[in-house]
Amino acid sequence: MKVAVIVFPGSNCDQDTRWALERVGLKAELVWHTEGSLEGYGAVFLPGGFSYGDYLRAGALAKFSPVMGEVRRLAQRGYPVMGICNGFQVLTEAGLLPGALLANTNLHYTCKEVFLRVERTDLPFTSDYRQAQVLRLPIAHGEGRYYADEETLARLEQNRQIVFRYVEHQGQGGNPNGSLGDIAGIVNERGNVLGMMPHPERAVESVLGSVDGEGIFTSLSKALATLA
Amino acid sequence: MEETLTPLSEQAKALLEETGIPQNEYREIVRLLGREPGRLELYLFKVMWSEHCSYKNSRPLLRLLPKEGPAVLQGPGENAGVVEIGDGYAVAFKIESHNHPSAVEPVQGAATGVGGIIRDIVAMGARPIALLNSLRFGKPDTGGSEGDRTRYLVQGVVGGIAHYGNAIGIPTVGGDIYFHPDYQDNPLVNAMCVGLLRVEELKKSRAGLGRPVYYLGSKTGRDGIGGAAFASEELSEESESKRPSVQVGDPFMGKLTMEATLEAIRLDLVEGVQDMGAAGLTSSLSEMAHKSGLGLELDLDKVPRREVGMSPLELMLSESQERMVLVPRPGKEKALEALAACWGLDAVPVAVTIEEPVFRIKSEGQVVAEVPTHALADSVTYVREGQESPEIQALRAKDLSALPVPGDLHGVLLKLLASPNLCSRAPVFERYDYQVGTNTALVPGKGDAAIVRVKGTRRAIALKVDANPRYSRLHPRLGAMHALAEAARNVSVVGGRPLAYTDGLNCGNPETPHGYYELSETIAGLAEASRALGIPVVSGNVSLYNEGPSYRIPPTPMVGVVGLLENVERRAEMGFKKAGEFVVLIGEPLGELGASEYLWVLEGLEAGHPPRLELQREAKAQAAIRDLIEMGWVRTAHDVAEGGLAVALAEMTFPYGLGATLEIRDAGRPDALLFGEAPGRILFSVDQDHLQSAIAHLQSLGLPHRILGQVGGDELTILLPKTQLKWSVSELKQGWEAPLREVLP
């Protein structure tokens, strides 16, 4: 099963995401934002970056891009769709995930290591992790503060839609951006559309300082193998 | 013998007044043209003969620098230098200043500095894989307006670099930042970019005869008019009014232009590439024609513009960003246009190369300027008499032996670690995306140099930019030697073999004897260190006139070294990682107090002779640590720099919170043992199994060394002959982390 990595003109983690997918043996292809069809792809990644410059608001223009109609269609048909960083912002702007990502409380771009707790392992993206496992992953964003109204937050908790939470680990880490509920990543009700601010694709080799992100890609690889 | 000169016409005098071109240069222009220039023509000369574009004061001096080496594919003279790294790959790199724009408009000044250097790298056919920057500011820790201005500049510059680099998706992996009162009115912002290319894809700024020359990228507006000339004069009260000389950066457009250019190169659609940077259309087109041994006819009516009513002069001098010049291969014109359209960019044939070696500019069917291309390219040069400032001589000669030894050595280390020049840089680099591209094998704060691996190979490059303004102020020649030695040492201690360097020479006004002295001594020092260490220069930039009525910046040669690791798995970082490892010092514990950070922090004194540098021993020490890393014996190594041994040891405890116990048995002032500075010193840790062999290797090279102690615990303990000092790592770290966090919360 091929995985589509959507490339907006300002995407800049597209190649990194493809690299991480291919390392676990998945076949990944870059798909230009003007593409009208995603026929033949078994999963979709929306990578990090600055989709269309993001001068207005991260992801605010990307939701109108031609390829997004197809992304929506695949999401509705239950295909795995994952947004990382800017991809998460695009998914919330497009309404495929609830809530919004606001400017970090420190009001600037922040690049550093954080710790996440895995809250769910029954998803096509997380099956290779252990429940409550703590991951060390990098963040790199200026608008990553997850926000939703109380009702939505309650629903997310109730439906177990919160997949990753920022945690402190041995005195380090903690919530880096003021996200409500320490939310770092959420999934839709159906469990096939995942968005997260930290970058798992930057933590897939020991030479990069952490391999804790690899589970996302190996999990997906297994999920796609069972589908195919 | 004075030649009798014909008096200038009134009209010419008025033009000289307007452009600021000196009379002697005007007469040279008249001689080259065989007639008086028109106003537009004179402006072409003004920007092309500015120091920024012509190097008229520095060119004769720069000839001294060694430029040849086994790895060098392209030396100075193109958009960037290129060195081979093996497996068919090469890296292109260059540093460039954006000082004056950043002083006037820090965010855009810094952002466009980054954008500009990226385009230089792209023009060589290389994909940018790393950014570095070297920043100098005035006083951060004084209250009042001076401190406020410094904080404003730091926040703006760091914000501008982050804004551009993060969005365009090139990791900012390293740099250095230094505070010194002489930068108060004149901050320095130099940006360095490194790109990766296949050797066969190396591009130059060339065009064949009769070829259409394409303009690619952003439309031309009225921003940055005369920026190159602005960069080549002293900042003054009126500089605020030069805000229109500062360009405006658009990283999104920069990304589109970069991707389109790289794709055109990959598809082999183009024969020549040139960045449109300083002096815009004027410089990019006239230089490309000149290097090709041809002329060029430009039709201004075809230039894409975003404002109406722009005059030929404004079009020629605009430094609007995100523009490139491409020369398609014959028959590939349509393919190039289609590719640009795919990225939503303008790609317009604005000019054509011609046989007659002139730069001809047409507007509305009329020729509005026509000058020989060589005349623009070969400006007058100046060789001047330099003289050292007596004030500096006196400072250097100051006798420091009577300085009292402080009673509280424990407190001195805490004070030093909290100095703006030694404290943690995390508040700065955390604003930069240093990992995009997933190649950063050694991130900021973890090692003395950054390491960026090359996917699909075992290779990696190590990168560092460095310059100590205190050393350079007190001894320009020695300071420059230190700058290269230290940048190379930083690359060596992570395991990289230095291949070549790029130099950003920032100095005062070369038209004054003191300014010229500092420039010429700086270059002489670089040349000497370059030869002794066997590291050639492949690219660089000169920023002069960093001077005002009440100040002159210390000469600041920002040296950016690129080194090679043949196996990225064999690398070292600075933090102690394993309890029980032995800590070894290459060199002697006793350092010098002259020009030290210690002297400045404790006594508020910048005086004395900077440490002498034995280049042969330096080269040997660097080779030794590289050997130990390459053999897989050493995984932790750190350069002993400003703040001396105690600061270096403290820094090694920070990354993993692991302490050490060490003993210094040498005689000498305890402050000179702990905080004195000396070059060529390297600390490393090694486990029991490899200690013997490591020591034997140092002995075989005849390098002085000491086994100081062992890693372990959560305290740093230093035993001196008469005293015992102990700090908890957390107390050291706390004071070290705070100062810049207050500037960049």
Side-chain angles (χ1 to χ4, degrees):
Chain A
M1 272 284 200
K2 288 188 299 180
V3 180
V5 179
I6 307 298
V7 186
F8 301 106
S11 296
N12 61 33
C13 301
D14 44 332
Q15 301 277 3
D16 303 354
T17 305
R18 178 165 77 169
W19 172 260
L21 288 163
E22 287 178 346
R23 280 192 83 255
V24 300
L26 283 166
K27 192 168 159 41
E29 285 175 6
L30 302 180
V31 177
W32 192 234
H33 64 117
T34 52
E35 203 57 53
S37 161
L38 288 174
E39 208 53 58
Y41 293 100
V44 182
F45 269 74
L46 299 173
F50 290 70
S51 45
Y52 291 89
D54 286 353
Y55 293 116
L56 172 60
R57 196 173 66 238
L61 295 180
K63 67 178 163 198
F64 298 114
S65 99
V67 80
M68 282 308 290
E70 273 292 279
V71 173
R72 192 183 306 274
R73 193 175 64 82
L74 261 60
Q76 280 158 1
R77 285 174 53 192
Y79 284 71
V81 172
M82 175 157 184
I84 302 171
C85 197
N86 189 228
F88 185 13
Q89 294 162 340
V90 173
L91 288 174
T92 57
E93 284 286 339
L96 288 170
L97 286 174
L101 292 145
L102 310 182
N104 300 348
T105 41
N106 64 13
L107 296 180
H108 60 77
Y109 193 94
T110 303
C111 181
K112 64 180 194 182
E113 268 186 353
V114 297
F115 294 93
L116 307 183
R117 188 174 60 225
V118 181
E119 304 282 42
R120 261 183 89 167
T121 57
D122 59 343
L123 298 170
F125 315 95
T126 57
S127 61
D128 271 359
Y129 291 123
R130 295 184 315 277
Q131 186 70 28
Q133 185 178 345
V134 173
L135 311 178
R136 187 162 53 90
L137 293 182
I139 54 160
H141 59 248
E143 298 171 32
R145 178 183 165 208
Y146 185 77
Y147 179 85
D149 57 44
E150 277 179 34
E151 198 183 318
T152 309
L153 280 175
R155 202 172 60 240
L156 288 174
E157 295 281 359
Q158 199 184 351
N159 295 339
R160 297 182 59 240
Q161 285 175 254
I162 299 163
V163 184
F164 301 108
R165 270 187 228 270
Y166 299 109
V167 288
E168 265 200 31
H169 181 71
Q170 295 172 351
Q172 311 249 340
N175 185 336
N177 52 25
S179 285
L180 292 182
D182 298 327
I183 289 172
I186 56 169
V187 72
N188 64 348
E189 274 184 56
R190 187 167 173 179
N192 69 316
V193 178
L194 175 77
M196 68 190 291
M197 287 314 294
H199 285 274
E201 83 283 10
R202 294 185 181 187
V204 294
E205 293 170 83
S206 60
V207 73
L208 301 175
S210 171
V211 293
D212 291 356
E214 203 172 21
I216 295 274
F217 303 96
T218 52
S219 302
L220 183 70
S221 178
K222 285 180 189 160
L224 290 179
T226 37
L227 284 179
Chain B
M1 280 259 290
E2 279 279 314
E3 215 180 319
T4 325
L5 299 169
T6 349
L8 295 178
S9 67
E10 284 308 312
Q11 194 194 353
K13 275 188 196 158
L15 271 176
L16 293 196
E17 176 89 358
E18 179 189 326
T19 57
I21 290 178
Q23 279 210 17
N24 67 309
E25 292 188 8
Y26 183 78
R27 290 184 194 280
E28 179 62 15
I29 292 166
V30 172
R31 194 186 67 77
L32 285 165
L33 291 182
R35 61 176 168 83
E36 299 225 14
R39 181 160 175 263
L40 173 58
E41 290 168 335
L42 197 56
Y43 269 98
L44 301 183
F45 280 99
K46 177 182 163 75
V47 292
M48 291 304 292
W49 286 19
S50 69
E51 182 64 36
H52 191 85
C53 290
S54 75
Y55 299 86
K56 62 188 168 190
N57 287 290
S58 47
R59 205 178 340 148
L61 298 167
L62 291 168
R63 290 197 188 104
L64 291 172
L65 295 175
K67 300 172 188 74
E68 306 287 325
V72 177
L73 284 183
Q74 177 63 58
E78 285 294 325
N79 285 294
V82 182
V83 292
E84 228 175 323
I85 59 163
D87 289 343
Y89 285 100
V91 287
F93 61 100
K94 190 183 179 194
I95 193 167
E96 198 157 76
S97 62
H98 236 215
N99 302 332
H100 288 189
S102 304
V104 178
E105 215 306 280
V107 176
Q108 290 302 334
T112 53
V114 173
I117 194 64
I118 290 171
R119 287 193 305 279
D120 275 324
I121 300 309
V122 170
M124 301 307 293
R127 170 167 288 277
I129 56 167
L131 288 166
L132 295 93
N133 55 75
S134 190
L135 312 178
R136 298 292 180 274
F137 299 102
K139 305 172 197 166
D141 41 6
T142 47
S145 65
E146 281 190 330
D148 286 349
R149 174 159 166 82
T150 299
R151 280 188 289 278
Y152 159 76
L153 288 172
V154 173
Q155 288 161 0
V157 167
V158 171
I161 291 170
H163 164 65
Y164 207 101
N166 296 350
I168 200 167
I170 302 165
T172 300
V173 298
D176 76 331
I177 178 167
Y178 214 107
F179 297 88
H180 187 288
D182 290 348
Y183 299 115
Q184 184 65 38
D185 294 310
N186 197 134
L188 302 182
V189 176
N190 283 208
M192 172 174 166
C193 184
V194 184
L196 181 71
L197 67 152
R198 297 292 304 172
V199 171
E200 66 273 12
E201 286 181 343
L202 178 59
K203 281 283 171 277
K204 290 191 181 183
S205 169
R206 295 289 186 282
L209 179 60
R211 301 297 308 140
V213 177
Y214 275 68
Y215 170 118
L216 176 83
S218 206
K219 296 183 199 305
T220 299
R222 284 194 176 93
D223 55 327
I225 287 184
F230 169 48
S232 305
E233 53 196 52
E234 289 185 4
L235 285 171
S236 64
E237 290 291 314
E238 293 90 66
S239 293
E240 279 294 313
S241 70
K242 296 279 170 73
R243 224 176 262 258
S245 294
V246 181
Q247 313 83 337
V248 180
D250 177 352
F252 180 59
M253 189 53 100
K255 169 138 175 91
L256 303 183
T257 310
M258 172 175 85
E259 296 294 351
T261 304
L262 290 174
E263 203 169 332
I265 292 167
R266 194 176 54 81
L267 298 171
D268 202 24
L269 302 182
V270 291
E271 61 181 54
V273 187
Q274 168 71 44
D275 152 48
M276 211 185 299
L281 283 165
T282 304
S283 161
S284 55
L285 294 177
S286 70
E287 278 181 17
M288 180 181 250
H290 179 64
K291 284 179 188 163
S292 309
L294 296 169
L296 181 137
E297 188 174 291
L298 165 66
D299 185 353
L300 282 177
D301 299 344
K302 293 189 179 150
V303 172
R305 36 190 111 176
R306 59 167 176 256
E307 294 180 63
V308 291
M310 285 185 75
S311 69
L313 184 63
E314 288 172 322
L315 287 165
M316 291 310 294
L317 298 190
S318 166
E319 291 186 9
S320 287
Q321 297 290 292
E322 286 80 56
R323 301 181 297 170
M324 297 290 291
V325 176
L326 301 179
V327 184
R329 291 198 185 283
K332 300 289 185 189
E333 293 84 356
K334 290 290 163 234
L336 179 64
E337 288 171 21
L339 173 64
C342 174
W343 288 93
L345 296 173
D346 282 310
V348 184
V350 293
V352 62
T353 52
I354 56 176
E355 194 159 10
E356 194 186 346
V358 296
F359 185 32
R360 183 180 296 143
I361 302 167
K362 289 168 80 173
S363 173
E364 296 172 358
Q366 303 284 315
V367 174
V368 290
E370 180 170 325
V371 289
T373 47
H374 74 87
L376 288 175
D378 301 329
S379 76
V380 292
T381 56
Y382 295 95
V383 176
R384 303 176 192 272
E385 282 295 314
Q387 193 196 30
E388 184 168 34
S389 140
E391 186 199 339
I392 301 278
Q393 278 174 347
L395 280 174
R396 187 171 60 234
K398 192 168 174 64
D399 180 15
L400 301 170
S401 58
L403 275 181
V405 176
D408 177 21
L409 291 165
H410 182 274
V412 173
L413 179 57
L414 295 173
K415 217 167 164 180
L416 271 170
L417 288 171
S419 115
N421 289 331
L422 298 179
C423 68
S424 169
R425 270 54 191 139
V428 177
F429 64 68
E430 279 178 8
R431 298 194 179 202
Y432 305 144
D433 187 345
Y434 48 78
Q435 283 177 311
V436 61
T438 57
N439 292 318
T440 315
L442 192 53
V443 300
K446 285 282 178 72
D448 286 358
I451 297 180
V452 180
R453 59 96 182 253
V454 178
K455 281 198 179 102
T457 75
R458 297 168 74 194
R459 291 168 193 273
I461 52 171
L463 308 166
K464 176 63 187 175
V465 58
D466 219 319
N468 178 326
R470 254 186 253 299
Y471 291 0
S472 275
R473 174 155 181 262
L474 290 166
H475 197 314
R477 181 183 292 237
L478 192 51
M481 290 161 64
H482 274 290
L484 178 56
E486 183 166 350
R489 197 183 315 129
N490 285 325
V491 161
S492 292
V493 299
V494 303
R497 178 164 52 83
L499 297 176
Y501 70 99
T502 180
D503 58 347
L505 302 178
N506 304 270
C507 286
N509 184 344
E511 295 167 35
T512 69
H514 299 338
Y516 192 75
Y517 174 84
E518 291 176 351
L519 173 67
S520 59
E521 283 291 294
T522 295
I523 293 172
L526 272 185
E528 193 179 333
S530 222
R531 272 191 302 274
L533 300 173
I535 312 173
V537 67
V538 294
S539 60
N541 174 254
V542 172
S543 167
L544 305 181
Y545 301 91
N546 294 293
E547 182 165 355
S550 56
Y551 71 92
R552 181 174 68 255
I553 64 153
T556 315
M558 292 164 176
V559 174
V561 170
V562 173
L564 173 67
L565 289 87
E566 290 189 10
N567 179 359
V568 69
E569 295 303 330
R570 296 283 166 90
R571 63 180 188 275
E573 50 185 282
M574 74 158 106
F576 292 133
K577 279 178 108 168
K578 275 195 192 131
E581 285 200 336
F582 290 86
V583 182
V584 183
L585 170 72
I586 304 179
E588 279 109 10
L590 193 65
E592 298 182 43
L593 298 183
S596 66
E597 188 67 18
Y598 165 79
L599 196 59
W600 174 255
V601 171
L602 266 268
E603 308 285 336
L605 201 58
E606 185 174 73
H609 201 291
R612 274 85 175 168
L613 185 53
E614 270 180 69
L615 287 164
Q616 290 316 318
R617 194 175 119 183
E618 177 71 50
K620 234 190 258 181
Q622 293 187 19
I625 193 67
R626 290 197 304 267
D627 292 345
L628 298 180
I629 296 167
E630 204 177 311
M631 286 183 274
W633 300 344
V634 168
R635 310 268 320 165
T636 296
H638 185 32
D639 158 42
V640 182
E642 290 92 345
L645 203 49
V647 165
L649 287 165
E651 287 166 346
M652 296 175 86
T653 69
F654 294 154
Y656 299 98
L658 206 49
T661 302
L662 312 129
E663 185 180 7
I664 299 171
R665 292 185 182 176
D666 294 66
R669 295 172 57 120
D671 53 352
L673 287 169
L674 292 169
F675 313 115
E677 298 175 16
R681 298 197 295 176
I682 294 163
L683 283 163
F684 66 88
S685 70
V686 58
D687 62 19
Q688 175 102 49
D689 295 348
H690 299 102
L691 179 66
Q692 294 287 344
S693 352
I695 295 296
H697 189 62
L698 298 180
Q699 272 162 351
S700 73
L701 291 167
L703 281 167
H705 57 274
R706 304 278 192 288
I707 301 173
L708 294 181
Q710 268 182 297
V711 177
D714 53 8
E715 290 175 331
L716 176 65
T717 307
I718 303 181
L719 308 169
L720 289 168
K722 288 180 189 154
T723 4
Q724 179 183 336
L725 298 161
K726 188 180 279 196
W727 303 264
S728 76
V729 171
S730 59
E731 116 190 81
L732 292 171
K733 204 170 174 180
Q734 211 173 6
W736 172 75
E737 279 176 339
L740 271 178
R741 192 67 74 185
E742 281 161 25
V743 181
L744 297 165

